[in-house]
Amino acid sequence: MKITEYIEQAQKCLFSFEILPPLKGQSIQHLMEGISPLMEFKPPFVDVTYHREEFIYKKHPNGLLEKVSTKKRPGTVGICAAIMHRFHVEAVPHLLCGGFTKEETENALIDLNFIGVQNVLALRGDAPKTESRFVPEHNGHHYSKDLVKQIVAMNHGKYLHEETEVGFHTNFCVGVAGYPEKHFEAPNLRFDLKHLKCKVDAGAEYIVTQMFFDNQKFFDFVDKVREAGITVPIIPGLKPITTMSQITNLPRTFFLDLPDDLLDELEKCKTNQEVKEVGIEWSIQQSKELIEKGTPCLHYYTMSKADATYRIAKALF
């Protein structure tokens, strides 16, 4: 089923979460063991991230530098197949513009369609750590709206370089990202919403937001999205703070603010365990308010560590 169909048919707020593929060389077993407890709360779908190929420069004895690929987290398609087979839930793979040509994207979509995936999240992706700005692949997509257009074209039977006019019609439900505190590259929120509307106009059917810790910013974002004429479902993305390092790392990495009340409590903490307790309680209260306001689904960023998300879900679902 499509994500939008689950939302339309839901009698109460839905629970979903996102996982990371294991690092190259690691087993999927630990990941599956982490997912298993969360199945208690009957998630209709699980997101599986994709991390673009990155490179390092290896210096040889002769002084020359060699560009070496370090694809750290492969396996998104295989993990989607494993999750669907084992847990009988929808798997939602992330598709990126960065690092992929249009042909590679088409091939990935064909593979996903063959294994029964019906939902995808279309993202531009970030620049590699070694580059200061996002640069698309040659013959790749610069913006996620263009990736959405390619997916929708396949839904209409239109393929790249296809000799026949109409091919097999795929049936992907396309989600895109939204930013309650705006994308860090956007000059302001109005500009960001303009691009969000372009993604929806291109065929995106739902929005999943970046994590946030201030519900008012989410409520204001939803109001502005609706004022912009965007009517598709909006799913808030949430993450509990669980370590002391995240107090500074999350705002720096994801360009977001921590509310004063939350920061005041976190600053009292002396250990990671104390931080984790504060983070879980804050996320529970966030979630309760979002449910009370009629939010259709709550989506949790687990970073493939399920214990904090399990405790939150246990208190809510």
Side-chain angles (χ1 to χ4, degrees), residues 10-26:
Q11 301 298 312
K12 61 180 182 178
C13 183
L14 302 173
F15 164 77
S16 66
F17 60 94
E18 176 182 298
I19 59 170
L20 306 174
L23 290 167
K24 182 170 67 174
Q26 292 184 354

Side-chain angles (χ1 to χ4, degrees), residues 5-299:
E5 292 173 335
Y6 280 111
I7 291 173
E8 288 169 4
Q9 296 177 22
Q11 301 298 312
K12 61 180 182 178
C13 183
L14 302 173
F15 164 77
S16 66
F17 60 94
E18 176 182 298
I19 59 170
L20 306 174
L23 290 167
K24 182 170 67 174
Q26 292 184 354
S27 168
I28 193 178
Q29 187 59 33
H30 179 71
L31 176 65
M32 300 301 261
E33 289 172 355
I35 293 173
S36 293
L38 297 176
M39 290 299 131
E40 175 183 334
F41 311 107
K42 297 180 171 46
F45 64 94
V46 176
D47 273 34
V48 183
T49 66
Y50 198 103
H51 289 251
R52 67 179 294 178
E53 190 172 26
E54 294 190 358
F55 299 89
I56 59 172
Y57 288 89
K58 183 178 180 182
K59 189 173 183 178
H60 291 279
N62 60 7
L64 294 177
L65 295 176
E66 179 187 4
K67 189 177 182 181
V68 179
S69 170
T70 59
K71 190 173 182 181
K72 295 182 178 179
R73 293 185 185 271
T76 294
V77 175
I79 290 170
C80 286
I83 289 173
M84 293 165 64
H85 174 72
R86 180 166 175 178
F87 299 113
H88 305 289
V89 300
E90 303 291 342
V92 184
H94 292 191
L95 293 176
L96 305 182
C97 297
F100 295 89
T101 65
K102 295 174 185 176
E103 288 79 8
E104 289 170 334
T105 296
E106 182 175 88
N107 290 338
L109 288 164
I110 290 171
D111 287 344
L112 291 169
N113 179 70
F114 285 167
I115 65 172
V117 167
Q118 295 188 58
N119 303 278
V120 295
L121 192 68
L123 307 167
R124 190 198 70 175
D126 297 324
K129 296 175 183 177
T130 54
E131 298 177 14
S132 60
R133 63 187 180 88
F134 177 86
V135 177
E137 291 295 301
H138 176 68
N139 195 34
H141 294 302
H142 199 135
Y143 298 107
S144 54
K145 67 177 181 181
D146 300 314
L147 176 55
V148 172
K149 289 177 182 178
Q150 181 177 3
I151 300 167
V152 171
M154 288 181 63
N155 284 347
H156 290 97
K158 298 179 181 179
Y159 292 73
L160 300 172
H161 320 306
E162 188 59 55
E163 294 180 2
T164 58
E165 289 188 8
V166 180
F168 174 79
H169 291 232
T170 56
N171 190 32
F172 292 112
C173 176
V174 188
V176 291
Y179 299 85
E181 298 176 66
K182 86 172 182 62
H183 190 278
F184 74 97
E185 293 179 8
N188 59 32
L189 184 58
R190 187 181 70 170
F191 183 90
D192 201 24
L193 290 175
K194 178 180 176 182
H195 282 265
L196 180 58
K197 190 170 190 308
C198 286
K199 292 189 283 188
V200 174
D201 289 346
E205 297 179 66
Y206 70 98
I207 297 164
V208 181
T209 77
Q210 177 61 277
M211 70 179 72
F212 59 92
F213 294 89
D214 184 345
N215 280 356
Q216 191 57 51
K217 290 187 177 181
F218 173 75
F219 297 139
D220 292 343
F221 171 75
V222 171
D223 288 343
K224 288 182 171 62
V225 167
R226 299 309 184 209
E227 289 170 5
I230 300 170
T231 60
V232 300
I234 302 172
I235 301 172
L238 302 169
K239 182 195 176 339
I241 293 176
T242 55
T243 65
M244 299 185 78
S245 62
Q246 289 176 352
I247 298 172
T248 53
N249 287 346
L250 290 178
R252 181 172 63 247
T253 303
F254 297 101
F255 303 92
L256 51 82
D257 290 334
L258 299 183
D260 289 338
D261 290 350
L262 174 58
L263 191 56
D264 288 345
E265 292 303 311
L266 291 170
E267 287 181 328
K268 298 175 186 176
C269 298
K270 304 299 182 184
T271 65
N272 281 337
Q273 186 57 41
E274 291 177 355
V275 167
K276 186 175 183 177
E277 294 302 319
V278 170
I280 289 173
E281 182 57 31
W282 184 272
S283 191
I284 289 172
Q285 297 308 316
Q286 256 196 291
S287 301
K288 284 181 176 179
E289 184 180 24
L290 290 165
I291 293 171
E292 289 170 359
K293 295 289 186 179
T295 304
C297 178
L298 299 183
H299 187 70

